[in-house]
Amino acid sequence: MSFIAYLIIAVEIGFWVFIAAGLVTRYLLGRKRLGLLLLAMTPVLDLTLLIATTYDILANDATATAAHGIAAIYLGVSLTFGKRMIRWADERFRYHIMKKGPKPVKRYGFEHARYELSGSLLHVLAWVLGGGYLFLLIHLAGNPEQTETLLQILKVWTLVAAIDVVLSLSYFIWPRKAKTDSAH
């Protein structure tokens, strides 16, 4: 496994460590500012991955691997879904650990369809950001043989993002229904 692959794993672990530490500090220790600071450290991890990936391809003239492409996907997804993931973790921490706040919502019908579509639109934004980064790396490297893998990953990601949008739109046609209790 390459350095970039290990770095992706470390950044993902770091992301959840900072979130957990931020929530514990905020709610269990009552240190709201320090908790917010820990939560705000997650973009620093993204910046580290961005610099390392760019440096590896452009300065080291490394041949791009799937890890470099996954790094771009990770960056795009982290930038667009990061706030939503932190909110998701915060809601569950408050409800399950602190025993405060409302139970996390399960969505059905039109509300579920809208939520899924908003997630798909965030995915498209992640694709624009991460795909733009891939395109920039391909262009700046200026060597199609060096960056062929990045182009292939961009093509696959384009297909995945399109399928995601189609699936989310299908919930408007076939809405998710609440499960009925048939034990009566």
Side-chain angles (χ1 to χ4, degrees), residues 54 57-58 134-143 146-147:
T54 304
I57 290 180
L58 298 181
L134 285 173
F135 183 77
L136 185 63
L137 284 177
I138 291 166
H139 178 72
L140 291 176
N143 180 350
Q146 179 189 10
T147 58

Side-chain angles (χ1 to χ4, degrees), residues 2 21-22 25 31 34-35 55-56 68 71-72 88 114 118 122 136 152-154 162 168 178 180 182-183:
S2 71
T25 302
R31 309 258 333 258
L34 181 57
Y55 180 82
D56 198 36
H68 293 95
W88 176 89
R114 278 192 8 220
S118 73
L122 284 174
L136 185 63
Q152 296 308 315
I153 286 174
L154 186 55
S168 70
T180 57
S182 60

Side-chain angles (χ1 to χ4, degrees), residues 43 79 104 108 122 135 162 165:
L79 289 172
Y108 301 99
L122 284 174
F135 183 77
V165 170

Side-chain angles (χ1 to χ4, degrees), residues 105-174:
V105 177
K106 287 193 177 194
R107 293 173 177 84
Y108 301 99
F110 184 70
E111 183 184 2
H112 175 255
R114 278 192 8 220
Y115 183 78
E116 291 298 319
L117 182 59
S118 73
S120 292
L121 294 176
L122 284 174
H123 187 179
V124 169
L125 179 58
W127 176 86
V128 168
L129 294 173
Y133 175 60
L134 285 173
F135 183 77
L136 185 63
L137 284 177
I138 291 166
H139 178 72
L140 291 176
N143 180 350
E145 292 174 0
Q146 179 189 10
T147 58
E148 182 179 339
T149 300
L150 300 181
L151 184 58
Q152 296 308 315
I153 286 174
L154 186 55
K155 288 177 182 178
V156 170
W157 193 12
T158 301
L159 179 63
V160 169
I163 290 169
D164 185 21
V165 170
V166 169
L167 286 174
S168 70
L169 290 172
S170 76
Y171 289 118
F172 287 96
I173 300 167
W174 300 286

